Amino acid sequence: MSQMVGAPGAVRATGAEVVLAQLDDEQRAAASAVSGPVCILAGAGTGKTRTITHRIAYGVHTGAFVPEQVLAVTFTARAAGELRTRLGGLGVGGVQARTFHAAAMRQLRYFAPQVLGGPMPGLVENKLRLVASAASRARLTTDRTSLRDLAGEIEWAKTTLATPEDYPARARAAGREPPFEAPAVAQVYASYESAKQRDGVLDFEDLLLVTAFAIEEHAPVARQIRAQYRHFVVDEYQDVNPLQQRLLDAWLGGRADVCVVGDPNQTIYSFTGADPDYLLGFADRYPDAEVVKLERDYRSTPQVVALANKLIGQAPPRKGLPGLRLLGQRAEGPAPRFFEHPDEPTEAAAVAQACRALVEAGTPASEIAVLFRINAQSEVYENALSAAGVPYVLRGGERFFERPEVREAVLLLRGAAAGGSEPGALVPTVRDVLASTGWVEHRPPPGGAARDRWQSLAALVDLAVDLVAEDPTIDLPGFVTHLAARADAQHAPTVQGVTLASMHAAKGLEWDAVFVVGLVDGVLPIAQSLSRPEAVEEERRLLYVAVTRAREHLTLSWSLARNPGGRRSRPRSRFLTGLVPESAPTAAPAARRQKRAKVVLEGEAGELFERLRAWRSATAQAASVPAYVVLTDATLQAIAESRPGTLRELAALPGIGARKLELYGEDVLATVSA
Ligand code: ATP
Ligand code: MG
């Protein structure tokens, strides 16, 4: 504890005081409780992540923590990078800040010879392939969608610690909707497990399970791990799943030096097994826990905070959930804006123009984000931003240091470094080396993969420029060493550009301006969630996560049709009701309601067929392709006769492959149900 600060600590205590001075009273109470269990239960932007990083810094500065004995875990590589950056900013090095997976991987690699009797096994690169063969052994006929769903069920079972035998009963109790009968799924699961065992490989879930097992079953491993790590911190704890909790318990081994922080309103992974009850029940498990609630939102303007409060206030009350209303602390800002557009390209163009206007008015592009529900929505925004001349970066794509162009560049730089280098010439040298791959600095390609490649290499140059600014003596070998360390830590350099990210990938992050786009029912809430009220609520929380990323400017938009000329039949997201002010454009013209009534009345396959044809010809025209390229008459007929209500039902029809499903599925369903 802080009293332990002895004579040599007197100097360090000054650092500790500085660290605490940057917090408010409640945050300080949590940060200065450096021993024993601590739980921070608080809403978005209230400084949870700030409090844990300051708590670690305080513990280190007072001598209560040895940095190497602190393990901070979170859920995405990017969030772990954010923790490291913030700790670095507080002058704290040596603390492990990792994802659960990265931490488990590192430990298992070390202990593999001891517990597995050999080197670290290989990892399953592509689960779908193994699931596909397991499914065919079980004589199931699958397509891409049902395979993905099968893999999802296996992952859910494993993260909730259900064996194949447990699966049917557990799936039923949890209200899962597996793509096949539960016993068949269990059979695929069992067969998948034995195939993995036969090949001697582990999947991501095994990594955690085997690590937990190694600690639970091998006393020497447990001793070593527990001697190494003495203080645990978990950010975003609302999204912990039973498998991760089991690993955390194994690390702790009955000790209570654990600090968890989270926001139950930001639980967005319960579909994959996360359980906010670990967060909500923390104080019951640790009755002497220091429990801190934070309410002041330091991130967002009162306008953004009011919208977030309203949105989450419309959710039905959940048992055991404390009300977490946010109190905006920042100065007033612009009111959130809402826009309805006729189609997606128009929506994207408007967003791109707004981004451009912000950049021209002085907001750095890296302080702007466009957030969408599914990754497939990003392409139209990539095109629009390129057309508007606004640089952008995609988040949640391939890891930076694993991109082929980056690997190649790093190899070339390493080769060049071996030949020695002139001091003071780092940036031009890096440029020269990259130019040898055909990269031309002032000529970014207009879009697509080529642009991504160009941007990755530009980020390497920017990084060199930043490093030289910090340390003018850095040379090429120094740069190469730095890159290797970063690659180890999976910490991509920041690229100057508007961030395009899924709402899931945006968790924990913040920007000055945020555009939340594509807000139509069937996308948010996503179509697959509509049959289950809890799943719809998870979608609401996802929107809550998205809007609370904005510091100042928040824009929400949707478009009535997907393609230009398409039927303007998509209702805006149900979550916007009550948020959109009366004066804003609304999306439900009377004409549409009439049409809906008419179809219900007639209800004939022939009538639907004609409407599908009309939709098809508009879609084909917009894409400048012949109509049959969109869908054939036979497929339209099958749709008209069977009237599919879900993507899965649609996928079962002849002529609907994965690509057609992705391109037209939502539109076809909207046409059918209109
Ligand atoms: P989320 O739930 O979205 O992860 P969070 O609770 O982790 O949010 P932080 O990211 O830690 O919130 O903080 C939000 C913003 O507010 C950050 O920019 C942070 O630096 C700032 N902030 C937090 N607490 C304070 C404070 N006491 N004084 C000034 N700024 C603060
Ligand atoms: Mg946070």
Side-chain angles (χ1 to χ4, degrees), residues 149-205:
D149 290 351
L150 266 178
E153 288 308 298
I154 294 175
E155 273 168 23
W156 173 81
K158 296 186 74 168
T159 56
T160 56
L161 304 173
T163 61
E165 296 73 52
D166 300 337
Y167 175 82
R170 294 273 291 273
R172 200 172 333 107
R176 304 291 296 181
E177 291 180 339
F180 302 96
E181 295 291 320
V185 176
Q187 194 186 341
V188 174
Y189 174 15
S191 159
Y192 164 84
E193 287 295 309
S194 39
K196 250 181 330 100
Q197 238 161 31
R198 189 198 55 218
D199 297 352
V201 291
L202 302 179
D203 65 17
F204 270 135
E205 291 74 37

Short mmCIF file of all heavy atoms in Angstrom, two decimals, residues 149-205:
data_model
loop_
_atom_site.label_atom_id
_atom_site.label_comp_id
_atom_site.label_asym_id
_atom_site.label_seq_id
_atom_site.Cartn_x
_atom_site.Cartn_y
_atom_site.Cartn_z
N ASP A 149 -22.67 -20.55 -39.11
CA ASP A 149 -23.51 -20.70 -37.92
C ASP A 149 -23.06 -21.89 -37.07
O ASP A 149 -23.06 -21.84 -35.85
CB ASP A 149 -24.98 -20.85 -38.32
CG ASP A 149 -25.54 -19.54 -38.87
OD1 ASP A 149 -24.84 -18.51 -38.77
OD2 ASP A 149 -26.67 -19.55 -39.41
N LEU A 150 -22.69 -22.98 -37.74
CA LEU A 150 -22.19 -24.15 -37.01
C LEU A 150 -20.93 -23.79 -36.22
O LEU A 150 -20.80 -24.13 -35.03
CB LEU A 150 -21.85 -25.27 -37.99
CG LEU A 150 -22.91 -26.33 -38.28
CD1 LEU A 150 -22.37 -27.31 -39.32
CD2 LEU A 150 -23.31 -27.07 -37.01
N ALA A 151 -20.00 -23.11 -36.90
CA ALA A 151 -18.77 -22.71 -36.22
C ALA A 151 -19.11 -21.80 -35.04
O ALA A 151 -18.51 -21.91 -33.97
CB ALA A 151 -17.84 -22.00 -37.19
N GLY A 152 -20.10 -20.94 -35.24
CA GLY A 152 -20.53 -20.04 -34.15
C GLY A 152 -21.06 -20.83 -32.97
O GLY A 152 -20.78 -20.50 -31.82
N GLU A 153 -21.82 -21.89 -33.25
CA GLU A 153 -22.35 -22.72 -32.16
C GLU A 153 -21.22 -23.41 -31.40
O GLU A 153 -21.24 -23.52 -30.17
CB GLU A 153 -23.34 -23.76 -32.70
CG GLU A 153 -24.66 -23.18 -33.14
CD GLU A 153 -25.30 -22.30 -32.09
OE1 GLU A 153 -25.63 -22.80 -31.00
OE2 GLU A 153 -25.44 -21.09 -32.35
N ILE A 154 -20.22 -23.91 -32.14
CA ILE A 154 -19.10 -24.58 -31.49
C ILE A 154 -18.33 -23.59 -30.62
O ILE A 154 -17.99 -23.88 -29.47
CB ILE A 154 -18.18 -25.24 -32.54
CG1 ILE A 154 -18.95 -26.38 -33.25
CG2 ILE A 154 -16.89 -25.77 -31.90
CD1 ILE A 154 -18.18 -27.02 -34.38
N GLU A 155 -18.13 -22.39 -31.16
CA GLU A 155 -17.43 -21.38 -30.36
C GLU A 155 -18.23 -21.01 -29.11
O GLU A 155 -17.66 -20.89 -28.02
CB GLU A 155 -17.19 -20.11 -31.19
CG GLU A 155 -15.91 -20.21 -31.98
CD GLU A 155 -15.76 -19.13 -33.03
OE1 GLU A 155 -16.39 -18.06 -32.90
OE2 GLU A 155 -15.01 -19.37 -34.00
N TRP A 156 -19.53 -20.85 -29.31
CA TRP A 156 -20.36 -20.52 -28.14
C TRP A 156 -20.26 -21.62 -27.09
O TRP A 156 -20.08 -21.35 -25.90
CB TRP A 156 -21.82 -20.31 -28.58
CG TRP A 156 -22.74 -20.14 -27.41
CD1 TRP A 156 -22.95 -19.00 -26.69
CD2 TRP A 156 -23.54 -21.17 -26.80
NE1 TRP A 156 -23.82 -19.25 -25.66
CE2 TRP A 156 -24.21 -20.56 -25.70
CE3 TRP A 156 -23.75 -22.52 -27.06
CZ2 TRP A 156 -25.08 -21.28 -24.88
CZ3 TRP A 156 -24.62 -23.23 -26.23
CH2 TRP A 156 -25.27 -22.60 -25.16
N ALA A 157 -20.36 -22.88 -27.55
CA ALA A 157 -20.29 -24.00 -26.60
C ALA A 157 -18.96 -23.97 -25.86
O ALA A 157 -18.92 -24.13 -24.63
CB ALA A 157 -20.46 -25.33 -27.35
N LYS A 158 -17.88 -23.74 -26.59
CA LYS A 158 -16.58 -23.80 -25.94
C LYS A 158 -16.36 -22.63 -24.99
O LYS A 158 -15.79 -22.80 -23.91
CB LYS A 158 -15.47 -23.85 -27.00
CG LYS A 158 -15.56 -25.14 -27.83
CD LYS A 158 -14.42 -25.31 -28.78
CE LYS A 158 -13.16 -25.71 -28.03
NZ LYS A 158 -12.10 -26.17 -28.94
N THR A 159 -16.83 -21.42 -25.38
CA THR A 159 -16.61 -20.29 -24.48
C THR A 159 -17.52 -20.37 -23.26
O THR A 159 -17.24 -19.76 -22.24
CB THR A 159 -16.83 -18.93 -25.17
OG1 THR A 159 -18.14 -18.91 -25.71
CG2 THR A 159 -15.83 -18.67 -26.24
N THR A 160 -18.63 -21.12 -23.36
CA THR A 160 -19.46 -21.27 -22.18
C THR A 160 -19.17 -22.60 -21.47
O THR A 160 -19.94 -23.02 -20.60
CB THR A 160 -20.96 -21.20 -22.54
OG1 THR A 160 -21.23 -22.20 -23.51
CG2 THR A 160 -21.32 -19.85 -23.11
N LEU A 161 -18.09 -23.25 -21.87
CA LEU A 161 -17.62 -24.47 -21.21
C LEU A 161 -18.63 -25.61 -21.31
O LEU A 161 -18.80 -26.38 -20.36
CB LEU A 161 -17.25 -24.21 -19.75
CG LEU A 161 -16.20 -23.09 -19.52
CD1 LEU A 161 -16.04 -22.78 -18.04
CD2 LEU A 161 -14.86 -23.48 -20.13
N ALA A 162 -19.33 -25.70 -22.43
CA ALA A 162 -20.27 -26.80 -22.65
C ALA A 162 -19.59 -27.86 -23.52
O ALA A 162 -19.02 -27.54 -24.57
CB ALA A 162 -21.54 -26.30 -23.34
N THR A 163 -19.64 -29.11 -23.10
CA THR A 163 -19.08 -30.20 -23.90
C THR A 163 -20.11 -30.59 -24.97
O THR A 163 -21.26 -30.17 -24.90
CB THR A 163 -18.84 -31.44 -23.03
OG1 THR A 163 -20.11 -31.84 -22.49
CG2 THR A 163 -17.88 -31.14 -21.88
N PRO A 164 -19.71 -31.42 -25.95
CA PRO A 164 -20.71 -31.88 -26.93
C PRO A 164 -21.91 -32.53 -26.25
O PRO A 164 -23.06 -32.31 -26.66
CB PRO A 164 -19.93 -32.89 -27.77
CG PRO A 164 -18.52 -32.42 -27.71
CD PRO A 164 -18.35 -31.86 -26.32
N GLU A 165 -21.67 -33.28 -25.17
CA GLU A 165 -22.80 -33.92 -24.48
C GLU A 165 -23.72 -32.87 -23.85
O GLU A 165 -24.93 -33.03 -23.81
CB GLU A 165 -22.32 -34.87 -23.37
CG GLU A 165 -21.51 -36.07 -23.86
CD GLU A 165 -20.10 -35.68 -24.31
OE1 GLU A 165 -19.40 -35.01 -23.53
OE2 GLU A 165 -19.72 -36.02 -25.45
N ASP A 166 -23.10 -31.79 -23.34
CA ASP A 166 -23.91 -30.74 -22.71
C ASP A 166 -24.70 -29.94 -23.73
O ASP A 166 -25.70 -29.30 -23.39
CB ASP A 166 -23.02 -29.69 -22.01
CG ASP A 166 -22.15 -30.27 -20.92
OD1 ASP A 166 -22.52 -31.34 -20.41
OD2 ASP A 166 -21.12 -29.65 -20.59
N TYR A 167 -24.18 -29.90 -24.95
CA TYR A 167 -24.67 -28.88 -25.90
C TYR A 167 -26.19 -28.84 -26.06
O TYR A 167 -26.78 -27.76 -25.91
CB TYR A 167 -23.97 -29.01 -27.26
CG TYR A 167 -24.55 -28.04 -28.26
CD1 TYR A 167 -24.14 -26.71 -28.28
CD2 TYR A 167 -25.55 -28.43 -29.15
CE1 TYR A 167 -24.71 -25.79 -29.15
CE2 TYR A 167 -26.13 -27.52 -30.02
CZ TYR A 167 -25.71 -26.21 -30.01
OH TYR A 167 -26.28 -25.32 -30.87
N PRO A 168 -26.86 -29.99 -26.37
CA PRO A 168 -28.29 -29.86 -26.66
C PRO A 168 -29.08 -29.19 -25.54
O PRO A 168 -29.84 -28.25 -25.80
CB PRO A 168 -28.74 -31.32 -26.87
CG PRO A 168 -27.49 -32.01 -27.36
CD PRO A 168 -26.37 -31.37 -26.57
N ALA A 169 -28.86 -29.62 -24.30
CA ALA A 169 -29.64 -29.05 -23.20
C ALA A 169 -29.26 -27.58 -22.98
O ALA A 169 -30.13 -26.72 -22.79
CB ALA A 169 -29.39 -29.85 -21.92
N ARG A 170 -27.97 -27.31 -23.04
CA ARG A 170 -27.53 -25.93 -22.80
C ARG A 170 -28.01 -24.99 -23.89
O ARG A 170 -28.40 -23.85 -23.63
CB ARG A 170 -26.00 -25.90 -22.69
CG ARG A 170 -25.46 -26.66 -21.48
CD ARG A 170 -25.40 -25.77 -20.24
NE ARG A 170 -24.38 -24.75 -20.41
CZ ARG A 170 -23.10 -24.93 -20.09
NH1 ARG A 170 -22.71 -26.05 -19.53
NH2 ARG A 170 -22.23 -23.98 -20.28
N ALA A 171 -27.97 -25.47 -25.12
CA ALA A 171 -28.40 -24.63 -26.24
C ALA A 171 -29.89 -24.31 -26.10
O ALA A 171 -30.32 -23.18 -26.34
CB ALA A 171 -28.13 -25.33 -27.57
N ARG A 172 -30.65 -25.31 -25.69
CA ARG A 172 -32.08 -25.10 -25.52
C ARG A 172 -32.32 -24.06 -24.42
O ARG A 172 -33.06 -23.10 -24.60
CB ARG A 172 -32.79 -26.42 -25.18
CG ARG A 172 -34.28 -26.37 -25.45
CD ARG A 172 -34.97 -27.74 -25.32
NE ARG A 172 -34.12 -28.90 -25.57
CZ ARG A 172 -33.67 -29.73 -24.61
NH1 ARG A 172 -33.99 -29.54 -23.35
NH2 ARG A 172 -32.92 -30.78 -24.93
N ALA A 173 -31.64 -24.25 -23.29
CA ALA A 173 -31.83 -23.33 -22.16
C ALA A 173 -31.45 -21.90 -22.54
O ALA A 173 -32.04 -20.94 -22.05
CB ALA A 173 -31.01 -23.81 -20.97
N ALA A 174 -30.46 -21.78 -23.41
CA ALA A 174 -29.98 -20.44 -23.76
C ALA A 174 -30.77 -19.85 -24.93
O ALA A 174 -30.48 -18.73 -25.35
CB ALA A 174 -28.49 -20.49 -24.09
N GLY A 175 -31.74 -20.60 -25.45
CA GLY A 175 -32.52 -20.09 -26.56
C GLY A 175 -31.72 -19.94 -27.85
O GLY A 175 -32.00 -19.05 -28.65
N ARG A 176 -30.71 -20.78 -28.03
CA ARG A 176 -29.92 -20.71 -29.28
C ARG A 176 -30.81 -21.15 -30.44
O ARG A 176 -31.76 -21.92 -30.25
CB ARG A 176 -28.71 -21.65 -29.22
CG ARG A 176 -27.79 -21.44 -28.06
CD ARG A 176 -27.02 -20.17 -28.11
NE ARG A 176 -26.09 -20.06 -29.22
CZ ARG A 176 -25.30 -18.99 -29.40
NH1 ARG A 176 -25.36 -17.97 -28.57
NH2 ARG A 176 -24.48 -18.93 -30.42
N GLU A 177 -30.46 -20.71 -31.61
CA GLU A 177 -31.18 -21.16 -32.81
C GLU A 177 -30.18 -21.76 -33.77
O GLU A 177 -29.78 -21.15 -34.75
CB GLU A 177 -31.91 -19.98 -33.45
CG GLU A 177 -33.07 -19.49 -32.61
CD GLU A 177 -33.81 -18.31 -33.25
OE1 GLU A 177 -33.23 -17.62 -34.10
OE2 GLU A 177 -34.96 -18.11 -32.88
N PRO A 178 -29.73 -22.98 -33.49
CA PRO A 178 -28.69 -23.58 -34.32
C PRO A 178 -29.21 -23.89 -35.72
O PRO A 178 -30.42 -24.05 -35.91
CB PRO A 178 -28.32 -24.87 -33.57
CG PRO A 178 -29.47 -25.15 -32.68
CD PRO A 178 -30.15 -23.86 -32.39
N PRO A 179 -28.30 -23.99 -36.70
CA PRO A 179 -28.72 -24.22 -38.08
C PRO A 179 -29.25 -25.64 -38.30
O PRO A 179 -29.90 -25.89 -39.30
CB PRO A 179 -27.45 -23.99 -38.88
CG PRO A 179 -26.33 -24.21 -37.93
CD PRO A 179 -26.84 -23.83 -36.58
N PHE A 180 -28.93 -26.57 -37.39
CA PHE A 180 -29.43 -27.95 -37.49
C PHE A 180 -29.95 -28.35 -36.12
O PHE A 180 -29.76 -27.63 -35.15
CB PHE A 180 -28.32 -28.91 -37.94
CG PHE A 180 -27.72 -28.53 -39.27
CD1 PHE A 180 -26.55 -27.79 -39.33
CD2 PHE A 180 -28.35 -28.90 -40.46
CE1 PHE A 180 -26.02 -27.42 -40.56
CE2 PHE A 180 -27.82 -28.53 -41.69
CZ PHE A 180 -26.65 -27.79 -41.73
N GLU A 181 -30.58 -29.52 -36.06
CA GLU A 181 -31.05 -30.02 -34.77
C GLU A 181 -29.87 -30.09 -33.80
O GLU A 181 -28.75 -30.44 -34.20
CB GLU A 181 -31.62 -31.44 -34.94
CG GLU A 181 -32.87 -31.51 -35.80
CD GLU A 181 -34.06 -30.85 -35.13
OE1 GLU A 181 -34.22 -31.02 -33.91
OE2 GLU A 181 -34.81 -30.14 -35.83
N ALA A 182 -30.15 -29.78 -32.52
CA ALA A 182 -29.06 -29.70 -31.54
C ALA A 182 -28.21 -30.98 -31.49
O ALA A 182 -26.97 -30.88 -31.42
CB ALA A 182 -29.61 -29.34 -30.17
N PRO A 183 -28.81 -32.19 -31.51
CA PRO A 183 -27.94 -33.38 -31.45
C PRO A 183 -26.98 -33.46 -32.65
O PRO A 183 -25.84 -33.91 -32.50
CB PRO A 183 -28.94 -34.55 -31.48
CG PRO A 183 -30.22 -33.96 -30.99
CD PRO A 183 -30.24 -32.55 -31.46
N ALA A 184 -27.43 -32.98 -33.81
CA ALA A 184 -26.55 -32.99 -34.98
C ALA A 184 -25.40 -32.01 -34.78
O ALA A 184 -24.24 -32.30 -35.12
CB ALA A 184 -27.34 -32.65 -36.24
N VAL A 185 -25.71 -30.86 -34.20
CA VAL A 185 -24.66 -29.88 -33.94
C VAL A 185 -23.65 -30.47 -32.95
O VAL A 185 -22.43 -30.36 -33.13
CB VAL A 185 -25.24 -28.56 -33.39
CG1 VAL A 185 -24.13 -27.58 -33.03
CG2 VAL A 185 -26.21 -27.94 -34.39
N ALA A 186 -24.17 -31.15 -31.93
CA ALA A 186 -23.29 -31.76 -30.94
C ALA A 186 -22.37 -32.79 -31.60
O ALA A 186 -21.18 -32.89 -31.26
CB ALA A 186 -24.13 -32.42 -29.84
N GLN A 187 -22.93 -33.51 -32.56
CA GLN A 187 -22.13 -34.52 -33.26
C GLN A 187 -21.01 -33.86 -34.07
O GLN A 187 -19.86 -34.32 -34.05
CB GLN A 187 -23.06 -35.31 -34.19
CG GLN A 187 -22.44 -36.59 -34.71
CD GLN A 187 -23.37 -37.25 -35.75
OE1 GLN A 187 -24.57 -36.95 -35.81
NE2 GLN A 187 -22.79 -38.11 -36.55
N VAL A 188 -21.33 -32.77 -34.74
CA VAL A 188 -20.32 -32.03 -35.50
C VAL A 188 -19.25 -31.50 -34.55
O VAL A 188 -18.04 -31.60 -34.81
CB VAL A 188 -20.95 -30.87 -36.30
CG1 VAL A 188 -19.88 -30.03 -36.98
CG2 VAL A 188 -21.95 -31.39 -37.32
N TYR A 189 -19.70 -30.96 -33.43
CA TYR A 189 -18.78 -30.41 -32.42
C TYR A 189 -17.81 -31.52 -31.96
O TYR A 189 -16.58 -31.33 -31.96
CB TYR A 189 -19.65 -29.86 -31.29
CG TYR A 189 -18.96 -29.35 -30.04
CD1 TYR A 189 -17.58 -29.08 -30.00
CD2 TYR A 189 -19.71 -29.11 -28.88
CE1 TYR A 189 -16.99 -28.60 -28.84
CE2 TYR A 189 -19.12 -28.62 -27.72
CZ TYR A 189 -17.76 -28.38 -27.70
OH TYR A 189 -17.18 -27.91 -26.55
N ALA A 190 -18.35 -32.69 -31.63
CA ALA A 190 -17.50 -33.78 -31.14
C ALA A 190 -16.51 -34.21 -32.22
O ALA A 190 -15.32 -34.42 -31.96
CB ALA A 190 -18.37 -34.97 -30.72
N SER A 191 -17.00 -34.28 -33.44
CA SER A 191 -16.15 -34.74 -34.53
C SER A 191 -15.07 -33.70 -34.86
O SER A 191 -13.92 -34.04 -35.16
CB SER A 191 -17.07 -35.06 -35.71
OG SER A 191 -16.37 -35.04 -36.90
N TYR A 192 -15.45 -32.43 -34.75
CA TYR A 192 -14.49 -31.34 -34.94
C TYR A 192 -13.37 -31.44 -33.89
O TYR A 192 -12.19 -31.32 -34.20
CB TYR A 192 -15.24 -30.01 -34.84
CG TYR A 192 -14.39 -28.78 -34.63
CD1 TYR A 192 -13.79 -28.14 -35.71
CD2 TYR A 192 -14.20 -28.25 -33.35
CE1 TYR A 192 -13.01 -27.00 -35.52
CE2 TYR A 192 -13.42 -27.12 -33.15
CZ TYR A 192 -12.84 -26.50 -34.23
OH TYR A 192 -12.07 -25.38 -34.03
N GLU A 193 -13.78 -31.70 -32.64
CA GLU A 193 -12.79 -31.80 -31.57
C GLU A 193 -11.83 -32.96 -31.82
O GLU A 193 -10.62 -32.83 -31.64
CB GLU A 193 -13.49 -31.99 -30.21
CG GLU A 193 -14.17 -30.74 -29.68
CD GLU A 193 -13.19 -29.62 -29.37
OE1 GLU A 193 -12.21 -29.84 -28.65
OE2 GLU A 193 -13.42 -28.50 -29.87
N SER A 194 -12.37 -34.11 -32.27
CA SER A 194 -11.44 -35.23 -32.43
C SER A 194 -10.54 -35.02 -33.64
O SER A 194 -9.37 -35.43 -33.61
CB SER A 194 -12.14 -36.59 -32.44
OG SER A 194 -13.34 -36.52 -33.12
N ALA A 195 -11.05 -34.33 -34.68
CA ALA A 195 -10.18 -34.04 -35.83
C ALA A 195 -9.01 -33.16 -35.40
O ALA A 195 -7.87 -33.36 -35.82
CB ALA A 195 -10.98 -33.36 -36.93
N LYS A 196 -9.29 -32.21 -34.55
CA LYS A 196 -8.24 -31.31 -34.07
C LYS A 196 -7.21 -32.10 -33.27
O LYS A 196 -6.00 -31.90 -33.41
CB LYS A 196 -8.86 -30.25 -33.15
CG LYS A 196 -8.86 -28.90 -33.74
CD LYS A 196 -9.44 -27.83 -32.85
CE LYS A 196 -10.49 -28.22 -31.87
NZ LYS A 196 -10.11 -28.42 -30.52
N GLN A 197 -7.73 -32.98 -32.43
CA GLN A 197 -6.82 -33.76 -31.60
C GLN A 197 -5.91 -34.63 -32.47
O GLN A 197 -4.72 -34.71 -32.25
CB GLN A 197 -7.63 -34.64 -30.67
CG GLN A 197 -7.31 -34.37 -29.22
CD GLN A 197 -8.40 -34.87 -28.32
OE1 GLN A 197 -9.06 -35.87 -28.64
NE2 GLN A 197 -8.60 -34.20 -27.21
N ARG A 198 -6.54 -35.25 -33.49
CA ARG A 198 -5.79 -36.10 -34.40
C ARG A 198 -4.67 -35.30 -35.08
O ARG A 198 -3.55 -35.74 -35.18
CB ARG A 198 -6.75 -36.68 -35.44
CG ARG A 198 -6.18 -37.74 -36.33
CD ARG A 198 -7.05 -37.91 -37.56
NE ARG A 198 -7.21 -36.61 -38.24
CZ ARG A 198 -8.33 -36.18 -38.81
NH1 ARG A 198 -9.41 -36.90 -38.79
NH2 ARG A 198 -8.37 -35.00 -39.42
N ASP A 199 -5.01 -34.07 -35.52
CA ASP A 199 -4.00 -33.25 -36.20
C ASP A 199 -3.04 -32.58 -35.24
O ASP A 199 -2.08 -31.93 -35.66
CB ASP A 199 -4.68 -32.15 -37.04
CG ASP A 199 -5.55 -32.74 -38.15
OD1 ASP A 199 -5.48 -33.97 -38.34
OD2 ASP A 199 -6.27 -31.97 -38.80
N GLY A 200 -3.30 -32.69 -33.94
CA GLY A 200 -2.42 -32.06 -32.95
C GLY A 200 -2.42 -30.54 -33.03
O GLY A 200 -1.38 -29.90 -32.88
N VAL A 201 -3.59 -29.97 -33.32
CA VAL A 201 -3.66 -28.50 -33.37
C VAL A 201 -4.68 -27.98 -32.36
O VAL A 201 -5.51 -28.73 -31.87
CB VAL A 201 -4.06 -28.01 -34.79
CG1 VAL A 201 -2.94 -28.28 -35.78
CG2 VAL A 201 -5.36 -28.67 -35.25
N LEU A 202 -4.56 -26.70 -32.06
CA LEU A 202 -5.46 -26.06 -31.11
C LEU A 202 -6.22 -24.93 -31.79
O LEU A 202 -5.66 -24.25 -32.64
CB LEU A 202 -4.67 -25.44 -29.95
CG LEU A 202 -3.77 -26.35 -29.11
CD1 LEU A 202 -3.07 -25.53 -28.03
CD2 LEU A 202 -4.60 -27.46 -28.47
N ASP A 203 -7.48 -24.72 -31.42
CA ASP A 203 -8.16 -23.52 -31.90
C ASP A 203 -8.04 -22.44 -30.82
O ASP A 203 -7.42 -22.65 -29.77
CB ASP A 203 -9.61 -23.81 -32.30
CG ASP A 203 -10.47 -24.24 -31.12
OD1 ASP A 203 -10.07 -24.02 -29.96
OD2 ASP A 203 -11.56 -24.81 -31.37
N PHE A 204 -8.62 -21.27 -31.10
CA PHE A 204 -8.45 -20.14 -30.18
C PHE A 204 -9.00 -20.44 -28.80
O PHE A 204 -8.42 -20.04 -27.79
CB PHE A 204 -9.12 -18.90 -30.74
CG PHE A 204 -8.19 -18.08 -31.58
CD1 PHE A 204 -8.60 -17.57 -32.80
CD2 PHE A 204 -6.90 -17.83 -31.16
CE1 PHE A 204 -7.73 -16.82 -33.57
CE2 PHE A 204 -6.02 -17.09 -31.92
CZ PHE A 204 -6.44 -16.57 -33.13
N GLU A 205 -10.12 -21.15 -28.76
CA GLU A 205 -10.72 -21.44 -27.45
C GLU A 205 -9.84 -22.42 -26.68
O GLU A 205 -9.66 -22.28 -25.47
CB GLU A 205 -12.14 -22.01 -27.62
CG GLU A 205 -13.16 -21.01 -28.13
CD GLU A 205 -13.02 -20.69 -29.61
OE1 GLU A 205 -12.68 -21.61 -30.39
OE2 GLU A 205 -13.21 -19.53 -30.02
#
